[in-house]
């Protein structure tokens, strides 16, 4: 902000939302480059210290967004991201190789890392099955 970087008052949140639509996808700063892709209500961001092709970074962020939506549902929220942080960490480990996009195909990722909902259903089925065998 013009007044030394203070945050806008809460009443200005609607104005902030309009201003966010005008923020460019790539921001060049002296120390780094900032990239972002918006997927309401979330913003996926990336910072690099070295110059790199902007479209490559934006394409990766877009693929990351698509993968998260495919894994966790179209109603992706901040809480959903927090609850599934270990899975997202694993996905990023498979999607990047030394910081370079490597594997971004959702179907292949699903073969390597099972979506959490599938794992939850399998765990529940195993628990129900084991409870039934204990009662015999």
């Amino acid at each position: 902000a013009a007044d030394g970087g203070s945050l806008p008052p809460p009443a200005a949140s609607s104005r902030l939302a309009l201003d966010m639509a005008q923020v460019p996808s790539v921001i060049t700063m002296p120390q780094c480059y900032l990239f972002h892709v918006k997927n309401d209500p979330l913003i996926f961001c990336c910072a690099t210290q070295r110059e790199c092709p902007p479209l490559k970074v934006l394409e990766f962020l877009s693929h990351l967004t698509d993968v998260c939506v495919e894994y966790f549902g179209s109603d992706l929220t901040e809480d959903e991201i927090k609850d599934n942080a270990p899975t997202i960490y694993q996905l990023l480990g498979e999607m990047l190789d030394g910081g370079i996009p490597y594997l971004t195909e959702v179907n292949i990722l699903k073969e390597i890392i099972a979506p959490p909902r599938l794992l939850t259903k399998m765990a529940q089925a195993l628990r129900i099955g084991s409870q039934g065998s204990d009662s015999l």
Side-chain angles (χ1 to χ4, degrees), residues 112-136:
I112 298 169
I113 302 168
R117 293 192 175 126
L118 179 60
L119 287 174
T120 303
K121 288 178 185 177
M122 289 173 54
Q124 288 174 345
L126 289 174
R127 270 189 254 131
I128 292 171
S130 67
Q131 288 174 352
S133 64
D134 289 342
S135 64
L136 292 175

Side-chain angles (χ1 to χ4, degrees), residues 39 67-77 80 117:
N39 181 21
V67 167
C68 286
V69 166
E70 185 71 29
Y71 264 73
F72 312 118
S74 60
D75 54 343
L76 196 58
T77 63
E80 194 79 26
R117 293 192 175 126

